Structure formats: C-alpha cells, structure tokens
Amino acid sequence: MAMHVPKSYFQNMMKDGTKHLSGMHEAVFSNLEACTELYKTIKTCYGPKGLNKMVINHLSKLFVTNDAATIIKELEVQHPAAKMIVLASQQQEAECGDGTNFVMILAGALLEKAIDLLECGLSPSEVIKGYEMASEKCLEILETLVCHTVKDVKEKEAVIPIVRSSVASKQDGYEDFLAGLISEACIKIMPTKRTFNVDHVRTCKILGSGVLSSTCLHGMVFKRNVESDITAVKDAKVAVFSCPFDIGTTETK
C-alpha cells in the first residue's frame, strides 16, 4: 500500500505541475544558464558580418533573418528569466526602433560574467551592487567618447555618417549610397514641431534595375502603367479621386 506523501505549504497553494526552485544552484544558476543560452543564439547575428538564422514558427512559416527582434518574436521564449531579456529588447525596439540585438548581447555577456563571480563566492546582492557602480562609471566615461555630433538635423552631410552606421549592419556594401538616399528622404519630411513619423517615407520596388538606380522622389508614386498614350507631362494639374473611376458594366441576360 502506497503512503501519501504530503506536499509543502507553498506547493499546496500552486497548481499541479508547478516547480519550486530554491538555493543558489537550483534557482540562480538555472536562470543565468537560460539567459546565456538565449544570448549565445543571438550573438552570431550581430554586426555587418553577422550570420542569418533559419526560424520555423508554430505555423510552419520559415524566416531567414539576422534581426534579433524577428528571431525572439518567432521563438516564443517561455522561460521567465529569459523572457525578461526579451522584454528589455522589445522595449528598446519600441523606444528607438533598433538596437535589440545589442541589448540582448550586453545583458547576456553581463550575466555570463556573473556566473564566474558567483562561483568565486560572491553573493547575488554583491554582484548587483558591483554592476550598479559600473553602470554609473560607464555613464561618466561615455560622455568623453563622443566622436560625432549632429547640431542641425536638416543638414544632409551631417546626418549621413550617423545613418551609415545603422545601414551598414543591414546592407553591407551599399551603406554609402543608401545613407545619402535615406538622409535625403528623412530630411524632406522632417517636421518642425511634431515628432518624426516613419510612415511618411515609403519604398516602391520596380523591376528592371538594381539598388544603385534608386532615387528619392518628393510626392506620390503609382506603381502601374498609364491608361493612355501620354507617358510624360510637365507642370500638369493632377486630380486625385478616392473612389473607383471606371465605366460600370451593365447586367446582360
């Protein structure tokens, strides 16, 4: 006859299947190892020479990308500690629109070094205190490492070096050409009082040429052929209709 094994008071409050971890090796190291495994997965995607990852989500849809935001979105991370790093990278994406890979790599590297410090005998509170002191020191040092400053965002030549560093990680080899194109497009729709809206810049892909044939147009582009023999008009008046403008068909029996 099997004896009934009583549960602890904490487990009685939780539903069946809940795991309760305690102690340095069970709780702390397991969380750190989960975070570092996620960090090692994203690490090789960083930089202009980063490798692409092939991700297949739960709908069997294939993604081939080196964008950390797309990878972690499709991975559906479930571990609570690793999910905190994912939330930090998503917050970076919402605030700045870029840098998700850097946030995950920086957090993973710090946690990887924290494992060595804990194994040396330091307590988690001492490691946290040390990282807080290091953060304050880094903010002081960063002020002395400024290499370029943009005083006027309306000046194209001053904006291009800033844009080039962002484009280089996505389009290696075309960063010089695309940086000038992107800077020109952003400056043209830059508002004076309101915040910058990325939806005001659109791209239109036209078959028949390459990336270096791209140009920036201030206005609207309709990707379709004309309905008449006239292909070019200068100083023309344009009427825009928000409803269908064609000949209606009649019903025949």
Side-chain angles (χ1 to χ4, degrees):
M1 180 177 178
M3 296 181 61
H4 174 69
V5 179
K7 296 181 178 180
S8 64
Y9 179 75
F10 180 79
Q11 289 181 340
N12 287 331
M13 295 188 298
M14 310 301 291
K15 62 182 181 180
D16 293 337
T18 303
K19 293 183 179 180
H20 178 222
L21 302 177
S22 61
M24 179 70 73
H25 291 280
E26 286 188 2
V28 178
F29 282 104
S30 63
N31 291 336
L32 292 177
E33 289 172 0
C35 296
T36 53
E37 286 298 324
L38 179 63
Y39 144 71
K40 291 177 182 178
T41 303
I42 305 296
K43 181 180 178 181
T44 54
C45 300
Y46 191 67
K49 303 298 182 180
L51 303 177
N52 289 338
K53 299 292 183 184
M54 183 181 295
V55 182
I56 302 176
N57 63 4
H58 63 286
L59 298 176
S60 299
K61 187 176 181 180
L62 178 65
F63 295 87
V64 180
T65 178
N66 62 354
D67 182 34
T70 304
I71 295 173
I72 60 179
K73 179 181 177 182
E74 301 301 331
L75 283 180
E76 296 182 357
V77 179
Q78 298 296 327
H79 194 280
K83 191 177 291 187
M84 293 182 66
I85 299 182
V86 173
L87 293 175
S89 65
Q90 291 175 349
Q91 185 67 24
Q92 173 73 11
E93 176 75 14
E95 291 291 334
C96 302
D98 196 10
T100 55
N101 207 333
F102 173 75
V103 169
M104 298 194 66
I105 290 177
L106 178 61
L110 293 175
L111 293 176
E112 189 176 37
K113 295 298 182 182
I115 295 177
D116 299 333
L117 296 174
L118 292 173
E119 290 177 345
C120 292
L122 295 177
S123 64
S125 59
E126 291 174 334
V127 176
I128 295 173
K129 181 64 175 178
Y131 279 166
E132 290 176 350
M133 295 173 62
S135 176
E136 296 175 358
K137 189 64 177 178
C138 286
L139 294 177
E140 296 177 4
I141 298 175
L142 285 175
E143 296 294 335
T144 63
L145 300 179
V146 177
C147 58
H148 185 78
T149 303
V150 179
K151 297 181 179 179
D152 185 10
V153 294
K154 292 284 188 178
E155 186 179 350
K156 181 179 177 181
E157 297 301 326
V159 176
I160 288 178
I162 305 299
V163 177
R164 184 187 291 113
S165 60
S166 299
V167 177
S169 62
K170 303 296 182 182
Q171 298 290 335
D172 187 28
Y174 296 106
E175 62 271 13
D176 293 330
F177 172 75
L178 293 178
L181 206 63
I182 295 171
S183 301
E184 181 183 356
C186 293
I187 291 173
K188 283 184 177 180
I189 59 98
M190 178 71 70
T192 55
K193 296 181 179 180
R194 296 177 288 111
T195 57
F196 182 83
N197 190 355
V198 294
D199 292 332
H200 292 167
V201 179
R202 298 297 181 94
T203 59
C204 181
K205 299 179 182 179
I206 300 176
L207 297 177
S209 190
V211 177
L212 298 178
S213 299
S214 303
T215 185
C216 179
L217 296 177
H218 193 197
M220 299 179 66
V221 175
F222 298 93
K223 189 181 176 182
R224 57 172 298 174
N225 295 326
V226 296
E227 299 294 338
S228 65
D229 296 334
I230 302 174
T231 58
V233 178
K234 186 177 181 180
D235 298 332
K237 294 182 178 180
V238 180
V240 179
F241 296 90
S242 60
C243 59
F245 192 74
D246 53 4
I247 301 175
T249 58
T250 59
E251 295 182 2
T252 58
K253 295 185 179 179

